[in-house]
Amino acid sequence: MDSILIKIFATALAFSQVTTRPDEVKTEFDAARDRLEVAQLMSAGCTHMRKAFDIEDINLDDLIATAMDDKEALSSEIKALKGLKLADLHVAYKQFCKVENVEVSPVDLGQVITFYNSAVKDLPDAVQLKHLRLPGTSVVLDNKRERVAEIYEPNNRRVWIKLADIPEAVRNAFIAAEDKRFFQHAGIDERGLVRAFIGNFAQPGRPQGGSTITQQVAKNLLVGNDITYERKLREMIVASRIERALTKAEILELYLNSIYLGRGAWGIEMAARSYFGKPAKALSAVEGALLAGLAKGPNYFNPDRHPERARERLAYVLGRMQDDAMIDAAAAQAVLPQLVEYRPTRRDFGFHFVDHIAREAKVVAGLDTLTKSSYTVHSTVNSALQRTVEATLQEGLARYELNTNRYKFEGPEANISDAVRLRAADLKATEPAWLVALKTTRLPLYDVHWESAVVLENTRGKRGDAINVGLIDGSVLPLNTWSAAIRRSLKPYDVVYVQVRKANGKQAARADLRIRPTVQGAAVVLGNETGRILAMAGGFSYPASQLNRVVQSLRQPGSTLKPLTYLAALRKGLQPNTLVMDQPITLPPIGATAHARQRGFWSPRNYDRGASGSITLRRALENSRNLATVQLLASGLDDSAERGLDRVCELAMESQLYKDCMRYYPFVLGAQTVRLIDLAAFYAAIANEGARPQPHAIETIERDGRPIYRHDPQSVIWIGSADRASFYQLKSMLQGVLARGTARAVKHLSPYVGGKTGTTDDSVDAWFVGFTNDVTVAIWVGYDNSDGAHRRTLGPGQTGAKVALPMFEPIVQAAWELHAPKTALNGPSREAMRQLVALSIDAYTGDPAPAGSGRAFTEYLKRDPSGRVNDTQFRIVSRAESYYPYRGGYDGDDRPFRSWPHGSRLYGDNRPPFPFPTWRLGPREYPSARGYPDDEDRLPRPPLRVDPDYFWRRLN
């Protein structure tokens, strides 16, 4: 038996059942025993079908006879019936519809039953559509209520709307266009189905479907849209069951919310917004008729590309509505309504942030997915600042690899030769073909903020190679590459990323090649008081890696964790001018006894292998001295190093940096991994004198205009029993990190910023975390594959000050411009000032110094219970020990530290800042490895100490 005939009669079997006994549709027959029952079912279906034809005044016998006699009809190309013999179909018609005896039947009912059983096996349950709400589109707004993103599942960009909110004229338009007898049939419209079948015989061009609205719901939501007989069988049976499970109103609501109508819009509400810029409830009858006409083929009748087809289809729908008395003649004028401009939603920033929004919504609002319904999410992000943070991180990572000769050019981002040839053939084009092709090219890394450029010319001459590239604005510039190998590899119409360098003096304008880095990074900008995430860059590029390293990665913080130890010391009663020894120390294993084996001892060291002798807590933190920090742990926090470690761990957990603290001494130097977002929140707490905000990306979530979640603005915790005085002292010490410490490359920012650099062992991780009065900016740089025996490092001397710090200033300057104005760091609050007294102190020794003298600056020291200054300068290091000269210690030039000139202003230098950022343009301009001191750099060597008794006077 012909396979097409098998499928046609299997379809007829399904059709016969749903039209003659819809409540008893069988989905399995026995191929041997049930042949008679199947034959009777098809005869009953044929009788039902003939009645439908009689109503339509169509004589099927005459039609078949004409087709049999018409040789042209027999030879016409009908794709759906290709290979079918009409003679066999005629014999089968006599057998089942005329109930005549035939000598040789072309129909093997056993094969029909086998195909039918397989096709309708495991049908979906129609009851699941009851009260079904399809996936919706949620909108994310920034902190200025501007749209940032839409969140929706593929092929489900919709906003659900209730049937009652859709104008009756719009509903009628879809019924007239798609299913005139919707309210009369029971899921299958016999007349429409047969009409489409006969029409496809008579006009085998664009096929007619004949599906009812119910069938389309079954196809769209349950059985799929495969163009097969199997799908048609399943669709008919499921549609019949839908009619028994749902009301007509429920079916129509599902249909109007599920159908695709072009312009990336699923459902009537999203289509109304996309085409007319208004909600569906505001649509006119003509606008509704235009959308109803698109249901048949949104691409074929697209009013943007095919306005004449759209107008003809509109006239057809309006004519059907007029015939059915749904509208009058005056309203049936087929004039295309005014459309809004179609702008496809293409986002180029904020992908890691929007991903984080979805995760946060699940945690704080219990929403498993933001596509379950249509929500409006009011987020905390500042869109302009977000773009700046992403662009700065991308540029900083690329420049790091250029500076260190670690770049690796893997080839162009794309080649648009074919597109250029296609555009060149367009005689109506007014722009160069390369420019049109470049504008329409979407590169794989669609969130990279460099400019794309196309190679127009790559020539070789006596004076060297010359590569010219064209830019989006139509300009043509020479391309600066970083090696001859790159120049040779580039071909015409290759597309690359560039950074445009404007003309400057004798230097002509040019485009510098930008190469995808393999190093990764992350950056976040956090509002200090509120905890609002104003910007978040979770990596170099979201398409390249969806891992959000701000919230999903754990990295060793290195020296950025040291402020915890100094905060514990300040809370213990020590002062910034308290002296501690920066000298070698060895700590026994935790819990070791006198008889323990001599192993597991820890002997930390400074990067320069040297030691500086006695040093103030301020200077130790500003210059990130490892030995001084461990000495402080051992003798300044409690009666033993173990108990001191407990104090730091308690503070770390209270600060919500960790849920559990690993009790091992390297913890105080940042050996336990931490999340970037938690580190940023801790530094925000320092700026707030101990109030740690709750980092969050969502302010409110609304559904149907009503809030279902709102962030609690009071979700702030106080760290350290609200010891605001200690936090202010720490804040001032971190301000000194910029003034003359490891971050002195940006010391011109020290009146406005406090912060800390950090670098882990072997330069695996590089950090900088800095804060202003209003925001905290945290930056991390490193390689993802930095765990295990073959971890990749940033390279010798690549510290937080050299790798992460250069990205800080562009970000903080943008925060001052886009979020809160630039202001000097606040002094101590009233609450903190009740415990503090301002004194003039020598920056190096911690000794009192006459105000206005060369090394004097204002230090805030705590009072004791009697109200006098609590003098702890020699509590850890005796006065006699403090006389020991410094050993080792060098300045950034590896020369013995020169004496400070009298009158130098080390805290708050008023000289104009040097040009920033200090990134180099390429490997040939790479500076020496020496630079600004960090944790592992060399500490500047101060002059020999003078007996402090010479000018000492007791503080009172």
Side-chain angles (χ1 to χ4, degrees):
M1 181 178 177
D2 191 281
S3 62
I4 295 179
L5 207 58
I6 293 173
K7 296 172 182 178
I8 288 177
F9 277 91
T11 306
L13 176 57
F15 174 80
S16 298
Q17 291 192 85
V18 299
T19 55
T20 62
R21 58 176 199 185
D23 295 332
E24 301 175 6
V25 175
K26 290 179 64 175
T27 57
E28 185 174 5
F29 293 92
D30 187 277
R33 296 193 305 271
D34 295 336
R35 293 188 178 207
L36 179 59
E37 180 185 0
V38 169
Q40 292 173 344
L41 281 170
M42 286 196 289
S43 294
C46 194
T47 301
H48 187 92
M49 182 179 66
R50 286 178 65 85
K51 290 181 180 179
F53 267 92
D54 289 339
I55 294 172
E56 297 281 340
D57 294 327
I58 299 176
N59 191 313
L60 188 58
D61 291 333
D62 291 345
L63 180 68
I64 292 177
T66 300
M68 294 294 293
D69 293 336
D70 188 349
K71 297 184 181 297
E72 185 177 343
L74 286 172
S75 62
S76 62
E77 195 69 25
I78 303 173
K79 293 182 179 180
L81 303 175
K82 190 173 183 179
L84 176 66
K85 297 179 182 179
L86 289 181
D88 289 345
L89 193 60
H90 190 206
V91 172
Y93 168 70
K94 290 180 179 180
Q95 178 182 355
F96 296 109
C97 292
K98 307 288 286 185
V99 195
E100 297 178 2
N101 291 325
V102 297
E103 294 183 4
V104 181
S105 174
V107 180
D108 183 338
L109 290 179
Q111 294 184 45
V112 172
I113 290 172
T114 299
F115 180 82
Y116 174 86
N117 289 346
S118 174
V120 300
K121 184 180 181 181
D122 300 326
L123 287 175
D125 186 3
V127 178
Q128 65 183 287
L129 297 182
K130 192 77 173 177
H131 307 303
L132 173 69
R133 287 291 294 267
L134 297 172
T137 297
S138 292
V139 177
V140 178
L141 305 178
D142 65 12
N143 61 2
K144 293 180 172 57
R145 304 182 70 86
E146 297 292 331
R147 180 172 299 211
V148 173
E150 291 181 348
I151 301 176
Y152 54 89
E153 296 179 8
N155 300 330
N156 280 282
R157 183 174 173 260
R158 73 166 53 78
V159 175
W160 186 276
I161 184 174
K162 295 180 180 178
L163 186 64
D165 294 331
I166 302 174
E168 183 179 8
V170 177
R171 286 180 266 160
N172 288 338
F174 278 88
I175 292 171
E178 291 295 303
D179 193 355
K180 153 177 200 181
R181 287 177 10 95
F182 173 69
F183 290 105
Q184 285 76 49
H185 64 67
I188 305 297
D189 184 4
E190 302 90 335
R191 302 179 193 181
L193 187 64
V194 175
R195 186 189 311 112
F197 188 77
I198 299 301
N200 289 337
F201 265 98
Q203 296 179 343
R206 183 173 173 82
Q208 301 180 38
S211 294
T212 64
I213 283 177
T214 312
Q215 284 178 273
Q216 292 185 56
V217 170
K219 177 185 69 173
N220 293 337
L221 303 182
L222 293 178
V223 300
N225 58 358
D226 294 339
I227 307 175
T228 63
Y229 281 92
E230 289 91 335
R231 188 267 292 173
K232 200 65 178 179
L233 267 69
R234 297 168 70 82
E235 176 190 295
M236 285 193 292
I237 297 174
V238 171
S240 175
R241 293 177 176 177
I242 289 174
E243 289 278 346
R244 299 197 305 278
L246 279 70
T247 66
K248 287 289 186 180
E250 290 172 330
I251 295 171
L252 187 58
E253 184 173 303
L254 274 172
Y255 171 75
L256 291 174
N257 280 286
S258 63
I259 191 167
Y260 179 65
L261 295 170
R263 283 197 173 188
W266 275 260
I268 183 69
E269 177 67 16
M270 186 62 79
R273 300 181 186 184
S274 297
Y275 284 97
F276 304 112
K278 63 175 70 172
K281 65 181 179 181
L283 290 174
S284 67
V286 175
E287 291 168 339
L290 176 65
L291 296 181
L294 293 174
K296 184 177 180 64
N299 292 323
Y300 186 81
F301 297 108
N302 186 313
D304 299 310
R305 294 194 299 267
H306 309 293
E308 288 303 319
R309 292 180 190 172
R311 187 178 293 106
E312 291 176 6
R313 182 65 178 165
L314 173 62
Y316 167 79
V317 176
L318 291 173
R320 292 289 296 266
M321 294 178 70
Q322 185 179 359
D323 292 344
D324 294 337
M326 295 175 176
I327 57 174
D328 56 27
Q333 300 300 314
V335 178
L336 285 178
Q338 184 68 38
L339 305 178
V340 297
E341 182 183 358
Y342 177 44
R343 295 182 178 179
T345 54
R346 279 192 173 183
R347 183 159 50 95
D348 63 352
F349 77 106
F351 290 93
H352 283 112
F353 178 82
V354 173
D355 259 12
H356 179 67
I357 285 279
R359 287 189 295 271
E360 185 171 304
K362 184 175 183 179
V363 173
V364 301
L367 301 177
D368 288 336
T369 172
L370 284 174
T371 61
K372 185 177 182 180
S373 184
S374 294
Y375 303 99
T376 299
V377 181
H378 295 265
S379 79
T380 60
V381 73
N382 181 312
S383 292
L385 183 58
Q386 175 71 31
R387 288 180 180 274
T388 299
V389 170
E390 289 181 8
T392 300
L393 182 66
Q394 290 164 359
E395 179 72 0
L397 296 178
R399 289 196 181 190
Y400 155 75
E401 289 202 343
L402 286 171
N403 289 348
T404 56
N405 283 300
R406 290 192 170 202
Y407 66 89
K408 186 177 182 181
F409 185 67
E410 300 286 355
E413 299 295 324
N415 184 281
I416 57 174
S417 298
D418 294 340
V420 171
R421 282 193 294 269
L422 183 64
R423 301 295 180 181
D426 185 2
L427 300 179
K428 297 180 181 179
T430 58
E431 293 182 319
W434 66 263
L435 180 57
V436 178
L438 182 62
K439 286 181 178 180
T440 56
T441 298
R442 185 166 169 85
L443 298 180
L445 301 187
Y446 43 78
D447 62 346
V448 170
H449 297 280
W450 295 315
E451 292 190 53
S452 56
V454 57
V455 175
L456 301 179
E457 183 183 26
N458 189 348
T459 60
R460 299 179 183 177
K462 295 181 178 180
R463 296 183 179 180
D465 301 339
I467 301 179
N468 291 325
V469 293
L471 305 178
I472 290 288
D473 62 3
S475 62
V476 177
L477 295 176
L479 178 68
N480 179 34
T481 61
W482 309 115
S483 71
I486 295 177
R487 288 192 292 274
R488 288 192 298 268
S489 69
L490 291 175
K491 304 183 299 296
Y493 303 123
D494 280 345
V495 180
V496 295
Y497 286 119
V498 299
Q499 186 79 288
V500 175
R501 181 169 289 275
K502 296 181 180 180
N504 183 13
K506 296 181 179 180
Q507 181 70 49
R510 70 173 190 264
D512 291 335
L513 178 69
R514 284 294 175 261
I515 301 170
R516 295 187 188 188
T518 55
V519 70
Q520 276 293 352
V524 67
V525 182
L526 194 68
N528 289 341
E529 293 187 5
T530 62
R532 292 171 181 154
I533 298 174
L534 302 172
M536 170 190 284
F540 170 74
S541 171
Y542 181 84
S545 172
Q546 287 77 54
L547 178 66
N548 189 336
R549 294 158 186 83
V550 173
V551 294
Q552 293 180 304
S553 286
L554 292 169
R555 306 292 299 211
Q556 289 183 333
S559 296
T560 56
L561 197 73
K562 285 178 181 174
L564 266 179
T565 301
Y566 290 84
L567 178 60
L570 296 170
R571 290 183 60 199
K572 178 72 174 176
L574 301 181
Q575 305 273 30
N577 73 329
T578 300
L579 294 174
V580 65
M581 294 303 295
D582 182 44
Q583 65 182 19
I585 182 174
T586 296
L587 297 179
I590 292 177
T593 64
H595 302 288
R597 297 181 60 185
Q598 298 298 307
R599 63 180 182 180
F601 284 79
W602 182 50
S603 299
R605 62 189 183 189
N606 290 322
Y607 180 77
D608 60 7
R609 307 293 196 273
S612 303
S614 63
I615 186 174
T616 65
L617 297 189
R618 169 180 287 276
R619 290 285 291 148
L621 180 58
E622 288 175 353
N623 290 280
S624 201
R625 301 300 284 175
N626 292 339
L627 293 179
T629 303
V630 178
Q631 289 277 2
L632 179 63
L633 171 74
S635 57
L637 305 185
D638 214 312
D639 56 8
S640 69
E642 285 192 40
R643 291 182 179 274
L645 179 61
D646 290 340
R647 302 292 82 77
V648 179
C649 282
E650 290 167 2
L651 195 54
M653 290 186 287
E654 188 179 354
S655 303
Q656 297 187 9
L657 283 165
Y658 302 100
K659 292 182 179 179
D660 297 299
C661 176
M662 299 178 66
R663 292 186 75 251
Y664 64 132
Y665 294 126
F667 172 84
V668 298
L669 300 184
Q672 184 172 339
T673 57
V674 71
R675 296 195 310 165
L676 180 66
I677 189 71
D678 296 327
L679 198 60
F682 171 64
Y683 276 76
I686 297 173
N688 296 337
E689 291 188 356
R692 181 193 184 276
Q694 179 60 44
H696 65 283
I698 299 175
E699 292 288 10
T700 60
I701 301 177
E702 297 173 355
R703 182 173 56 202
D704 300 326
R706 295 185 298 272
I708 63 171
Y709 166 78
R710 189 182 303 276
H711 174 74
D712 180 9
Q714 304 302 320
S715 58
V716 173
I717 65 168
W718 285 90
I719 305 171
S721 304
D723 186 357
R724 303 185 68 154
S726 295
F727 269 99
Y728 177 76
Q729 289 178 311
L730 178 62
K731 173 181 171 181
S732 174
M733 293 163 71
L734 292 175
Q735 192 174 5
V737 173
L738 279 76
R740 72 174 201 188
T742 59
R744 71 175 186 230
V746 291
K747 67 178 180 179
H748 58 282
L749 297 180
S750 63
Y752 318 98
V753 176
K756 185 71 184 74
T757 55
T759 315
T760 59
D761 283 350
D762 300 324
S763 297
V764 171
D765 303 273
W767 300 79
F768 182 75
V769 186
F771 55 83
T772 68
N773 286 326
D774 302 289
V775 300
T776 292
V777 179
I779 302 168
W780 165 83
V781 179
Y783 289 94
D784 284 337
N785 60 338
S786 62
D787 296 324
H790 303 289
R791 63 181 184 174
R792 189 173 184 186
T793 73
L794 293 170
Q798 298 304 312
T799 65
K802 295 173 183 173
V803 179
L805 180 61
M807 304 181 207
F808 173 76
E809 184 167 9
I811 294 175
V812 78
Q813 293 285 9
W816 282 327
E817 179 180 350
L818 301 170
H819 176 67
K822 181 179 181 180
T823 56
L825 275 180
N826 294 331
S829 64
R830 290 183 179 180
E831 294 84 354
M833 199 60 209
R834 294 190 187 104
Q835 305 174 52
L836 298 172
V837 60
L839 292 174
S840 181
I841 295 294
D842 184 284
Y844 262 100
T845 66
D847 298 335
S853 63
R855 296 196 311 227
F857 76 103
T858 301
E859 184 76 272
Y860 288 85
L861 302 180
K862 285 183 185 174
R863 302 175 185 270
D864 62 19
S866 66
R868 303 172 71 183
V869 171
N870 186 17
D871 183 7
T872 65
Q873 184 178 11
F874 300 106
R875 178 175 294 181
I876 301 175
V877 177
S878 69
R879 188 185 299 270
E881 291 176 310
S882 70
Y883 296 155
Y884 293 161
Y886 285 77
R887 299 184 184 90
Y890 297 87
D891 69 359
D893 295 321
D894 283 357
R895 295 189 299 270
F897 192 85
R898 295 175 297 276
S899 299
W900 290 9
H902 180 76
S904 65
R905 300 192 51 154
L906 302 172
Y907 281 75
D909 196 321
N910 290 325
R911 291 175 298 174
F914 56 84
F916 194 89
T918 56
W919 291 319
R920 305 302 185 200
L921 299 180
R924 294 175 182 171
E925 300 180 53
Y926 176 56
S928 69
R930 302 188 182 98
Y932 300 106
D934 198 79
D935 315 75
E936 52 287 279
D937 284 319
R938 305 183 188 280
L939 182 68
R941 183 178 181 180
L944 292 177
R945 288 174 59 89
V946 179
D947 187 342
D949 283 341
Y950 176 74
F951 58 89
W952 175 262
R953 57 181 182 272
R954 187 172 182 80
L955 300 175
N956 50 38

